[in-house]
Amino acid sequence: MTDDAWFGVTPEPVANEIAKHMSNAVQTEETILVDTFAGAGGNAIAFAKYGRWQQICAIEKDPQLLKCAMHNARIYGVEEKIEWVEGDCFEVLLDQFHGPNSQQCVIFASPPWGGPGYRSDKIFNLRTMQPYSLYDIVRSFSKISRDLAIYLPRTSDLRQLADLVTEEEKLDVVHYCMEGASKALCVYCGNLSQLEKL
């Protein structure tokens, strides 16, 4: 794996917990999981290992990184359980999942955070996240499904996350820790914000 791939991959224990949370929170009819920024495949592999989904689509626009993800999935024995798509996730979502399939669709996003510089931010500004702001992601992806999980820096501005929903709506924010330290957080929207039932 490249240095960028190592830097961007979700730690395996965290990816496994996210896969468990998402698999247990969704409705029975939701059978398609789309990993929109698949990277080196860590999350797609965890979803495939969990065995809940009839279809897992992993989208990555970098062809070298996609090859790496496919190789990693082969090592874990789940390559055939994942549909690998090279392309821009915003376009692929609209082309392949807009319409009747959208009711069966749950979206996971671990977008780029703008490089390692995010670590120096005391509070990470989700409005200026590069190359896509959180609002661009949510606006686009919620046209396909309201059931979104978005993996973000642990220092993400919680007030900006709260702005994503109305007073009647709810979202869950979960910090994932390893060895006593928060590694990142994941925000769960729509039906996925039912984690207290798990």
Side-chain angles (χ1 to χ4, degrees):
M1 283 194 354
T2 66
D3 288 343
D4 285 344
W6 275 116
F7 176 76
V9 73
T10 304
E12 187 172 358
V14 174
N16 290 338
E17 280 299 302
I18 291 170
K20 181 175 96 175
H21 287 159
M22 289 182 67
S23 295
N24 291 333
V26 297
Q27 305 297 311
T28 307
E29 64 273 7
E30 293 175 303
T31 58
I32 301 169
L33 185 288
V34 183
D35 182 351
T36 54
F37 301 95
N43 292 98
I45 291 166
F47 293 127
K49 286 185 344 187
Y50 205 81
R52 155 62 173 89
W53 308 98
Q54 289 180 16
Q55 179 183 355
I56 298 170
C57 177
I59 307 166
E60 175 54 50
K61 69 179 182 178
D62 180 331
Q64 292 304 104
L65 206 46
L66 188 61
K67 280 184 188 176
C68 180
M70 293 169 71
H71 172 77
N72 292 339
R74 194 173 314 115
I75 290 170
Y76 280 88
V78 295
E79 181 185 23
E80 298 301 319
K81 295 181 178 184
I82 303 167
E83 174 190 353
W84 302 97
V85 179
E86 182 183 331
D88 177 279
C89 62
F90 297 94
E91 294 173 8
V92 174
L93 277 173
L94 285 175
D95 290 346
Q96 293 189 19
F97 297 99
H98 193 264
N101 279 348
S102 66
Q103 293 179 349
Q104 300 173 299
C105 194
V106 175
I107 299 173
F108 174 78
S110 180
W113 301 340
Y118 78 90
R119 291 180 179 177
S120 64
D121 293 343
K122 188 170 180 166
I123 297 177
F124 186 74
N125 188 339
L126 298 165
R127 289 187 178 104
T128 59
M129 186 169 68
Q130 293 296 319
Y132 317 103
S133 78
L134 177 66
Y135 301 97
D136 293 337
I137 292 167
V138 170
R139 188 179 317 113
S140 179
F141 292 2
S142 63
K143 292 175 185 172
I144 306 301
S145 176
R146 293 289 302 148
D147 299 335
L148 307 171
I150 307 167
Y151 187 71
L152 297 165
R154 62 186 168 81
T155 58
S156 295
D157 189 329
L158 296 180
R159 292 168 300 184
Q160 292 175 342
L161 291 174
D163 288 343
L164 294 175
V165 293
T166 66
E167 287 185 29
E168 295 80 36
E169 295 176 309
K170 178 183 169 196
L171 56 80
D172 287 338
V173 177
V174 177
H175 273 271
Y176 290 95
C177 300
M178 291 175 56
E179 299 174 8
S182 176
K183 292 298 177 188
L185 63 81
C186 198
V187 59
Y188 294 96
C189 307
N191 287 328
L192 296 175
S193 66
Q194 308 292 321
L195 295 180
E196 77 280 353
K197 296 180 183 176
L198 303 179

